[in-house]
Amino acid sequence: MTDGDMHEVSLTVNGVQYDETVESRWSLADFLRHKLRLTGTHLGCEHGVCGACTVLLNGRSVRGCLTLAVQANEKSVETVEGLAPTETELNVLQQAFWENHGLQCGFCTPGILMTLTEFLRDNPDPSETEVREALSGNICRCTGYQGIVAAAMDAAEKLRNSGQ
Amino acid sequence: MSTHLVGQRVKRLEDPDLLSGRGQFVDDLNLPGMLHAAFVRSPVAHARIQNIDISEAAALPGVHIVWTARDLPANMHNRRLLLQVPNPAILHTITQEPLASKETCFVGEPIAVVVAESRHLAEDACERVNVEYKPLPVSPDCETALKPGAAVAHMEFQDNIAAQFTLGYGDVEAAFRAADHVFQDNYFQHRGTANPMEGRGVVAVFDPIFHNFTVWSATQSPFIIRRMLVDMFEVEESTIRVVAPKDVGGGFGPKGMSYPEEVVIPALARELSRPVKWIEDRREHFLTTTQERDQLWDVSIAVDNDGKIRGLRGRLAHDAGAYVPWGIITPYISTTTIAGPYVVPAFKFDTTAVFTNKPPTTPLRGAGRPQAVFAMERTLDLVAQELDIDRAEIRRRNLIPAEEMPYKMGLIFRDGAPVIYDSGDYPKCQAIAVERACYNDFPARQKEAREDGRYIGIGIANAVEGTGLGPFEGASIKIAPSGRIVLQTGAAPQGQAHHTTLAQLCAEELNVPIESVDIVTGDTNAVSLGVGTFASRIAVNAGSSVKIASRTVYGKLMKLAATVLQVREDDLEMEDGVIRITGEQGDSVTFSDLAKMMNGVPGFKLPEGIEAGLEATSYFQPSQAAYSNGCHIAEVEVDPETGLVSILRYIVAHDCGNLINPMIVDGQVQGGVAHGVGNALLEHLYYDADANPVTTTFAEYLLPTAESVPDVEILHLETPTPNNPLGVKGAGEGGTLPAAAVIAAAIEDALRPFGVRFRDAPILPHQIIEKIAVANQ
């Protein structure tokens, strides 16, 4: 396999339009990280289990390592870089992670934030069990999950109260 | 107003960047002209390397270079990685070659390396490197390896014994003769992996003008890597800068080792005069990053009728894997840990470290202690059952009383000093855990559950952990001309929030907001000496250095301000970067004013009696380890049909001395328990009879998920250690130590109607079903 097998892709990432050329074998995560230099999306296992590379593709969570960049053609991608309203602020979910000690090394965090972004949009009033089930496809080796679950519950409540 | 930061649940300084995708991990480095490396790795556990043909790979478009061992710099030929922790008990001090030249001793050992325009092309080329192997007999596990005539793990050795030592005290023979009872059993805790979510990774640059290297590695120990590189390249220390990026995605021990890739990538960067990057993938992590736990324990205990321990003896066979990069630290710690928090009047253990054709084992969250705790606590459960004494009660009777602190337990620790438990109240620690768990009501709850057809059980286990070992970890504090405070340390974090905790300590001393402190960690250019982040040692070592250096800078600031303002120091107060005369208005100087002044005016003297530099560096050297302790209680439910175990409650009573940031300590304990849950119920690295790994993905090797880890109920005792100025003890590993023991005990208790006993960890569902089936026959 050489660099010969190239494709044009046109997509939006966090609302910004990109038109790029990419090899067919490039994963979406590699494309985001190494072509677009959006390094917030992390690769933890590259076989679709750990969930660190989770991004939203047309609003649904996907594994960035199991999705090819060409599959994102004509689609919209949301990544961790697009969550905060401004460079100096955090959104409600991010803020809840900060306040509830929802991260330690922070490597799995972008994927977890994207998983929960989708989950809380679909299920604004979850039980703790539902949160844990939603997180079951994201592995965190540092925290033991307690802070993550607390952050998700806290964010859900704040989002409900703010009507967001 | 003073700034009270120490002891507070201060939010982490690290978080906003990590939450916004602005982390700086090693793979996020993108340097102009950077090339990408991939390694060809051994597919067999033990073989002679007959021939390597790189021609096809080297000819591929985009490939810059392909190296085998013979292509390494000449001075590295026949040279192996530096043994970082020597010990006279090691019989064969063998470590890895940067690239294996004649013999490969485990699956995954690097044989060749390709550098190409992209990682994709480098991996393509690796597949075109043709290596001819002549398979050799395999040493598959530490039990087989010790048998007479066993296959040897290394061609050059006659047997598989890496090291042997005996530790003991007291008259063990007499103790066993005099005791009312002697009980014996064997225990085994299996290999697991660190599996931080970020694997290892290296980026290296060689500057051909100054002839120096800059090496970024996702490491716990930049200074340890520098030592290795100085040795391997035979260059001056000043020509090598090793940096752990600001963000390292977890470590847990194995990232504290130094690895072949950390030598090969800089050598390639020098050869090619281009930056070179290598990022470990998950399969490589399973194959090559050091592992831990395989230990076979044979434990005999001598007790009286009342359950009081008279003596402990036995043997430990420790699987070292193929090499001993970290010496025999792990089995040494194991052997000195087994007596734990209990009064053991006589003790003797024979320990053998054994070579196998598997990845090397080095400290991994707990560092040999979880196995020792498992062996001891399972032994006490056996005694409790045999003598019909409650399990908490037999422990209570044997715990070292608080009034006997400091307690000299009889053994010599790995630092050569006697093991002296410096402080702690072990009985109280157990008592608060027992109370919180409603332990004494459990039999009634269990009876009720059984009537409903549910199998619930409870377990209890204690542990003591030597933390905060020396020799030192440095920190330097400097007031910048802007007035901001620059805190630099060689200590490198991987999620423990060193930036936050060290800034808390500094900001409190200088009475400034924590945001005024800029922190540099993990850089060999930041301070001149360093060791590394392992053994729960940074709060003790670097934390104390920060406090001491900050105090010194405080003194310098006050003295200079007094000179400038022409008052006595007693008349000054310091707050928020301003030093002012107490009670008056207007007369003040800022840190910035003083720092600029101290930059000096060319040709003019500094004020009389003032030493140059608003800065100080400290290397705190603890006199000995600070011993943390804890008591864990777990309540579980077991489904005997499926073998599934649910943890219903998990209580940790923990004493790590003073807490700098209780939120972060709680996070360490909770995370440590999660790792222990993996060791207890999930994580088992399987190898076939030829030492081929068969669990090399997260689908085959299960890590704890949000559904398998309980919310831990954490209780703190705070018994300050006298061994450092902060009174702190390490907190990073205590959560893991007793977890496998306490969960095994709870499962056994739940399944008491079946009369099964568990001697190994992890305990997987199919093993539970098999045990029940065997017991029912």
Side-chain angles (χ1 to χ4, degrees):
Chain A
M1 173 80 71
T2 67
D3 273 339
D5 182 22
M6 304 300 281
H7 300 265
E8 304 288 324
V9 289
S10 176
L11 72 168
T12 65
V13 181
N14 303 323
V16 178
Q17 176 73 34
Y18 293 91
D19 298 289
E20 295 282 342
T21 307
V22 67
E23 236 183 296
S24 57
R25 64 173 169 175
W26 273 55
S27 70
L28 177 57
D30 277 342
F31 176 77
L32 292 168
R33 290 181 53 76
H34 301 304
K35 274 265 196 288
L36 306 188
R37 306 281 177 226
L38 293 169
T39 53
T41 299
H42 298 152
L43 285 158
C45 72
E46 296 176 272
H47 54 255
V49 182
C50 81
C53 63
T54 303
V55 296
L56 303 188
L57 187 63
N58 279 359
R60 306 313 305 184
S61 59
V62 296
R63 302 297 205 207
C65 71
L66 296 185
T67 307
L68 293 169
V70 292
Q71 291 176 279
N73 191 32
E74 305 294 337
K75 295 196 169 106
S76 75
V77 177
E78 292 166 70
T79 71
V80 66
E81 285 95 342
L83 293 179
T86 69
E87 274 201 20
T88 53
E89 290 173 286
L90 300 174
N91 77 5
V92 172
L93 181 62
Q94 290 168 312
Q95 185 72 30
F97 267 69
W98 194 13
E99 282 167 13
N100 291 279
H101 193 19
L103 63 156
Q104 288 184 20
C105 82
F107 196 82
C108 69
T109 309
I112 289 180
L113 290 173
M114 298 320 289
T115 296
L116 288 175
T117 296
E118 179 192 42
F119 172 71
L120 294 178
R121 206 165 52 199
D122 293 348
N123 186 353
D125 191 6
S127 67
E128 190 179 312
T129 305
E130 288 170 332
V131 168
R132 286 182 178 274
E133 197 183 314
L135 287 168
S136 65
N138 289 82
I139 301 173
C140 169
R141 189 58 152 168
C142 297
T143 64
Y145 302 101
Q146 192 163 357
I148 298 173
V149 173
M153 296 301 285
D154 183 23
E157 187 185 346
K158 286 183 175 140
L159 287 167
R160 283 197 307 277
N161 292 344
S162 70
Q164 281 185 41
Chain B
M1 192 192 93
S2 61
T3 310
H4 281 306
L5 290 165
V6 175
Q8 304 298 312
R9 302 177 78 88
V10 175
K11 278 195 296 184
R12 298 180 359 138
L13 300 177
E14 290 86 346
D15 289 2
D17 281 347
L18 290 169
L19 287 163
S20 307
R22 293 194 300 263
Q24 295 170 27
F25 296 89
V26 67
D27 191 31
D28 301 341
L29 277 171
N30 176 40
L31 304 175
M34 191 163 70
L35 300 172
H36 300 267
F39 285 83
V40 176
R41 299 184 180 279
S42 174
V44 283
H46 196 198
R48 199 189 296 274
I49 300 165
Q50 304 281 67
N51 186 45
I52 307 176
D53 180 0
I54 62 164
S55 57
E56 212 182 318
L60 284 179
V63 171
H64 283 248
I65 203 166
V66 184
W67 266 8
T68 65
R70 71 171 64 164
D71 306 306
L72 288 166
N75 67 311
M76 291 184 196
H77 292 177
N78 299 315
R79 190 183 280 257
R80 291 176 178 275
L81 304 191
L82 186 65
L83 172 70
Q84 299 276 10
V85 194
N87 186 305
I90 305 175
L91 303 171
H92 302 298
T93 56
I94 192 166
T95 58
Q96 278 182 268
E97 295 173 285
L99 295 170
S101 59
K102 303 183 189 74
E103 181 185 7
T104 174
C105 294
F106 67 90
V107 172
E109 185 149 27
I111 309 290
V113 61
V114 176
V115 181
E117 290 290 326
S118 72
R119 174 66 181 252
H120 296 79
L121 293 172
E123 289 189 9
D124 289 347
C126 282
E127 290 176 18
R128 309 288 181 90
V129 173
N130 295 308
V131 189
E132 217 179 291
Y133 299 96
K134 180 172 186 275
L136 294 167
V138 167
S139 170
D141 61 72
C142 60
E143 200 174 357
T144 310
L146 282 175
K147 288 181 179 158
V152 289
H154 293 275
M155 286 191 289
E156 64 192 272
F157 302 147
Q158 302 304 310
D159 58 37
N160 291 312
I161 297 174
Q164 244 172 350
F165 56 89
T166 297
L167 296 178
Y169 58 82
D171 190 340
V172 178
E173 295 301 326
F176 273 74
R177 269 198 311 273
D180 296 331
H181 307 275
V182 171
F183 302 105
Q184 182 278 335
D185 212 339
N186 297 327
Y187 308 96
F188 200 99
Q189 204 168 343
H190 289 278
R191 262 178 195 256
T193 59
N195 269 318
M197 296 324 295
E198 180 206 36
R200 296 183 293 123
V202 184
V203 174
V205 179
F206 181 74
D207 178 342
I209 299 170
F210 290 104
H211 289 272
N212 57 28
F213 294 93
T214 303
V215 181
W216 289 268
S217 178
T219 182
Q220 299 171 224
S221 309
F223 286 87
I224 294 285
I225 293 173
R226 186 176 69 175
R227 288 180 199 183
M228 173 180 70
L229 295 178
V230 165
D231 182 70
M232 294 302 290
F233 285 95
E234 298 182 281
V235 294
E236 287 299 317
E237 201 175 73
S238 59
T239 65
I240 296 179
R241 178 185 185 186
V242 182
V243 183
K246 183 171 86 58
D247 297 306
V248 172
F252 314 113
K255 278 188 185 172
M257 303 300 108
S258 38
Y259 288 89
E261 297 86 353
E262 286 160 336
V263 174
V264 174
I265 299 301
L268 288 163
R270 184 171 69 176
E271 176 74 16
L272 296 165
S273 292
R274 297 270 292 270
V276 180
K277 177 192 271 190
W278 167 73
I279 301 298
E280 182 185 67
D281 68 23
R282 191 54 58 181
R283 179 177 157 76
E284 286 179 300
H285 188 84
F286 274 105
L287 296 184
T288 68
T289 297
T290 58
Q291 305 173 346
E292 215 214 290
R293 305 255 200 267
D294 269 8
Q295 285 187 345
L296 179 60
W297 288 81
D298 174 346
V299 183
S300 294
I301 191 167
V303 289
D304 281 339
N305 287 327
D306 60 0
K308 279 269 207 180
I309 301 168
R310 278 184 171 252
L312 193 68
R313 70 179 171 195
R315 285 189 301 276
L316 164 59
H318 167 84
D319 182 347
Y323 300 99
V324 285
W326 207 242
I328 50 168
I329 290 295
T330 310
Y332 202 94
I333 292 176
S334 301
T335 315
T336 50
T337 297
I338 183 168
Y342 305 109
V343 177
V344 177
F347 179 99
K348 182 167 180 277
F349 264 81
D350 298 314
T351 300
T352 309
V354 186
F355 285 124
T356 60
N357 292 114
K358 288 182 180 169
T361 56
T362 65
L364 197 179
R365 205 163 196 170
R369 297 181 186 89
Q371 300 94 308
V373 173
F374 189 80
M376 185 66 183
E377 298 295 319
R378 297 273 60 217
T379 297
L380 287 176
D381 287 343
L382 173 67
V383 175
Q385 181 173 317
E386 295 296 324
L387 301 184
D388 197 21
I389 301 173
D390 174 76
R391 289 170 293 157
E393 174 60 17
I394 195 165
R395 286 169 170 82
R396 193 194 62 76
R397 289 179 194 174
N398 285 292
L399 284 169
I400 297 161
E403 54 274 20
E404 291 201 26
M405 292 291 171
Y407 181 82
K408 194 170 175 178
M409 61 85 75
L411 290 174
I412 302 297
F413 199 44
R414 67 176 170 104
D415 58 2
V419 178
I420 301 170
Y421 299 154
D422 53 278
S423 57
D425 188 338
Y426 303 164
K428 185 175 176 192
C429 192
Q430 176 172 308
I432 62 172
V434 162
E435 189 190 342
R436 176 62 172 262
C438 307
Y439 178 91
N440 295 326
D441 306 337
F442 185 75
R445 295 205 294 283
Q446 188 178 43
K447 184 165 175 283
E448 202 174 313
R450 279 193 192 145
E451 281 162 10
D452 293 343
R454 294 169 58 228
Y455 293 85
I456 66 170
I458 200 165
I460 180 168
N462 293 297
V464 176
E465 178 194 3
T467 71
L469 289 177
F472 53 76
E473 204 62 70
S476 93
I477 305 288
K478 182 179 181 178
I479 309 296
S482 61
R484 292 186 63 78
I485 295 143
V486 182
L487 188 169
Q488 295 181 290
T489 174
Q494 310 85 46
Q496 304 91 333
H498 291 166
H499 286 235
T500 307
T501 47
L502 297 180
Q504 279 179 260
L505 293 165
C506 174
E508 172 132 336
E509 289 299 323
L510 296 174
N511 202 19
V512 293
I514 193 169
E515 295 79 14
S516 306
V517 186
D518 296 320
I519 304 122
V520 176
T521 51
D523 184 343
T524 59
N525 277 14
V527 292
S528 70
L529 298 166
V531 184
T533 302
F534 42 79
S536 298
R537 65 189 295 279
I538 293 304
V540 169
N541 284 272
S544 297
S545 292
V546 166
K547 185 181 173 86
I548 293 164
S550 300
R551 284 306 295 172
T552 305
V553 170
Y554 175 90
K556 287 183 169 187
L557 282 164
M558 291 297 271
K559 186 172 181 185
L560 182 60
T563 304
V564 170
L565 298 172
Q566 298 187 314
V567 293
R568 294 184 314 136
E569 286 180 44
D570 293 352
D571 297 329
L572 295 173
E573 59 189 22
M574 182 189 287
E575 189 187 345
D576 203 3
V578 179
I579 302 172
R580 62 168 52 86
I581 299 170
T582 312
E584 291 193 23
Q585 287 187 336
D587 259 359
S588 65
V589 286
T590 64
F591 285 10
S592 174
D593 297 335
L594 297 173
K596 283 174 185 158
M597 186 184 299
M598 290 296 277
N599 273 346
V601 178
F604 289 79
K605 282 176 64 179
L606 290 176
E608 203 60 41
I610 298 293
E611 190 191 338
L614 270 179
E615 61 182 77
T617 300
S618 169
Y619 290 97
F620 173 70
Q621 300 170 57
S623 56
Q624 63 135 63
Y627 284 85
S628 299
N629 67 284
C631 177
H632 291 208
I633 296 178
E635 197 173 316
V636 306
E637 177 166 352
V638 185
D639 181 340
E641 299 287 316
T642 63
L644 273 179
V645 177
S646 313
I647 300 170
L648 305 176
R649 278 187 82 188
Y650 201 104
I651 290 96
V652 173
H654 191 247
D655 190 343
C656 59
N658 293 332
L659 306 179
I660 299 170
N661 186 328
M663 178 187 82
I664 287 167
V665 174
D666 285 352
Q668 288 293 312
V669 173
Q670 171 78 28
V673 170
H675 209 129
V677 168
N679 291 155
L681 295 174
L682 298 165
E683 300 183 42
H684 188 147
L685 276 174
Y686 281 97
Y687 289 81
D688 71 12
D690 295 322
N692 293 303
V694 293
T695 43
T696 59
T697 70
F698 285 147
E700 295 153 345
Y701 180 91
L702 302 184
L703 294 181
T705 67
E707 292 181 296
S708 51
V709 180
D711 273 6
V712 178
E713 300 168 49
I714 301 168
L715 308 164
H716 291 290
L717 285 180
E718 290 189 61
T719 315
T721 175
N723 293 340
N724 64 63
L726 303 174
V728 298
K729 310 171 185 178
E733 298 170 273
T736 309
L737 263 50
V742 77
I743 292 168
I747 294 172
E748 195 170 281
D749 185 43
L751 297 177
R752 227 172 265 283
F754 301 99
V756 295
R757 179 159 161 76
F758 292 92
R759 299 171 180 84
D760 293 9
I763 300 171
L764 303 177
H766 70 87
Q767 293 162 334
I768 291 176
I769 294 168
E770 281 160 18
K771 285 241 183 220
I772 292 172
V774 169
N776 280 344
Q777 276 171 10

